[in-house]
Amino acid sequence: MLLVDDDPAITEMYRLGLETFGFRVRAVGDGPGLFRAVEEELPDILVLDWQLPGIRGDELLEQVRLDERTRALPVFILSNFPADMDGAVDRVFMAGAMAWLQKAKTTPAALAERLTEALRAEPGS
């Protein structure tokens, strides 16, 4: 799985927690890092922060959906940005996000559970 978040402490907490639940986690801190990582290895699921350097989560998700390799990739938004502000949550769901999870209320264990459910539901999984 690929985790895109620019906060190193948050990234490390989720990486360690998800690895405890059997996930192989690659973490990057920005949009360009996401696309470099995809060039090297296509992840099975993507977790995006909403506020990244120079780009919002919905904008990055739209770019992900334009790439044939990542068009159908399951994507979760994991952010403390208020989902209901400025229609943010509507935009990410329109772009194909599976869920918007609030960091303050989502432990690594809870995230692992949601990701596992999503991967089981994917065709061909």
Side-chain angles (χ1 to χ4, degrees), residues 33-45:
L34 180 156
F35 291 102
R36 282 191 303 272
V38 166
E39 284 293 324
E40 293 173 19
E41 180 181 4
L42 187 63
D44 55 356
I45 199 160

Side-chain angles (χ1 to χ4, degrees), residues 36-107:
R36 282 191 303 272
V38 166
E39 284 293 324
E40 293 173 19
E41 180 181 4
L42 187 63
D44 55 356
I45 199 160
L46 176 63
V47 177
L48 290 175
D49 188 11
W50 173 261
Q51 294 176 300
L52 293 161
I55 194 164
R56 291 188 323 254
D58 63 324
E59 296 167 326
L60 191 53
L61 180 52
E62 287 172 4
Q63 291 177 21
V64 165
R65 294 298 181 227
L66 291 174
D67 187 322
E68 187 174 308
R69 296 166 301 165
T70 56
R71 184 169 292 139
L73 193 63
V75 177
F76 282 69
I77 301 295
L78 180 65
S79 180
N80 278 326
F81 185 85
D84 57 353
M85 185 179 282
D86 299 326
V89 73
D90 295 332
R91 290 197 304 276
V92 297
F93 284 129
M94 285 177 41
M98 296 184 78
W100 182 301
L101 304 173
Q102 189 177 13
K103 287 178 187 174
K105 295 180 180 178
T106 306
T107 64

